[in-house]
Amino acid sequence: MTAGRKHGRSAPPTTTTVRSADWDGRELTQETYHRVLFVDVDMTELTNTGCVFEECTFSSVRFNVSVHEDAMFLNCTFSRCSFFDTTFKGCKLTGSMFDGCSYGLLKVEGGDWSFTGLPGADLRGSAFHGVRLREADLTGARLEKAEVLRSDLSGAWLSGADLTGCDLRGSDLSDLDPSTVTLKKAIIDSFQATVVATALGFDVRA
């Protein structure tokens, strides 16, 4: 399985299609899907435990109030999907791309979201706790009053992101350029304050 494709790369071709299906409330366990196109599928309140979706495309799929645990979405594409109150626990989404999706109350606990593409995503009020977001594309993302706690943001693309009131405590901000983001009232710890001050050119001394 690949580590993740470069940002902006086109979605891989799909070979089978699931269209307008009602998966509301379904329980999926240890199932595998490869290069499947899901179109207008209702996955509301679905429970997904340990399933693998590789190079799949989800178009106008409703993931609302669904729970995904120890699952994999590898190099997948999500277009115009809704993730209201969706929970991902210990999931791997490396290389997956999101376009035109909605995310109200999205909760991500642990897992690996490295190389994901979330440019311009409206993630206001979302929660990412202990998530690996290395080299994730968060260009122009809206993270006002979100929680990005104890997460690895090394190499993440944050240019133009709005972090107003965002709780960033414990996260790796070593690659953050404060001059390219909005940080008003963002919450950081004392170590991060030193990192940010150094990035702004301050000579920090004890």
Side-chain angles (χ1 to χ4, degrees), residues 110-187:
D112 191 349
W113 287 52
S114 298
F115 307 102
T116 52
L118 289 154
D122 187 348
L123 295 165
R124 289 177 292 176
S126 296
F128 292 81
H129 293 179
V131 184
R132 193 180 191 198
L133 287 158
R134 297 191 66 180
E135 297 190 44
D137 185 356
L138 292 162
T139 306
R142 300 192 62 181
L143 287 153
E144 297 102 307
K145 295 186 178 179
E147 294 180 356
V148 186
L149 301 173
R150 305 178 307 281
S151 295
D152 184 358
L153 287 165
S154 57
W157 304 1
L158 288 161
S159 179
D162 191 339
L163 301 170
T164 300
C166 182
D167 192 342
L168 295 160
R169 288 176 293 177
S171 293
D172 184 346
L173 302 180
S174 57
D175 292 321
L176 175 69
D177 182 350
S179 67
T180 66
V181 298
T182 302
L183 284 169
K184 184 178 181 181
K185 295 185 178 180
I187 303 169

Side-chain angles (χ1 to χ4, degrees), residues 17-24 37-44 57-63 79-82:
T17 300
V18 177
R19 186 182 301 274
S20 302
D22 184 1
W23 288 21
D24 189 340
L37 170 62
F38 296 89
V39 181
D40 195 28
V41 177
D42 187 358
M43 295 190 181
T44 302
T57 295
F58 300 85
S59 179
S60 300
V61 173
R62 296 176 291 286
F63 290 94
S79 178
R80 299 183 303 280
C81 296
S82 57

Side-chain angles (χ1 to χ4, degrees), residues 2-5 7 48 51 53-55 58 63 68-78 83 86-98 103 106-118 128 131-134 136:
T2 58
R5 66 181 186 273
H7 305 303
N48 164 16
C51 294
F53 296 84
E54 186 173 11
E55 296 187 339
F58 300 85
F63 290 94
H68 308 266
E69 188 166 1
D70 298 325
M72 295 186 184
F73 295 85
L74 306 176
N75 292 326
C76 291
T77 300
F78 300 87
F83 294 92
T86 301
T87 301
F88 291 93
K89 297 180 179 180
C91 294
K92 187 172 184 178
L93 281 87
T94 51
S96 289
M97 309 295 289
F98 297 79
Y103 309 89
L106 173 69
K107 295 180 286 294
V108 182
E109 301 173 13
D112 191 349
W113 287 52
S114 298
F115 307 102
T116 52
L118 289 154
F128 292 81
V131 184
R132 193 180 191 198
L133 287 158
R134 297 191 66 180

Side-chain angles (χ1 to χ4, degrees), residues 23-43:
W23 288 21
D24 189 340
R26 281 188 61 173
E27 295 183 6
L28 304 180
T29 303
Q30 303 293 329
E31 297 186 17
T32 299
Y33 300 86
H34 179 66
R35 292 196 171 183
V36 178
L37 170 62
F38 296 89
V39 181
D40 195 28
V41 177
D42 187 358
M43 295 190 181

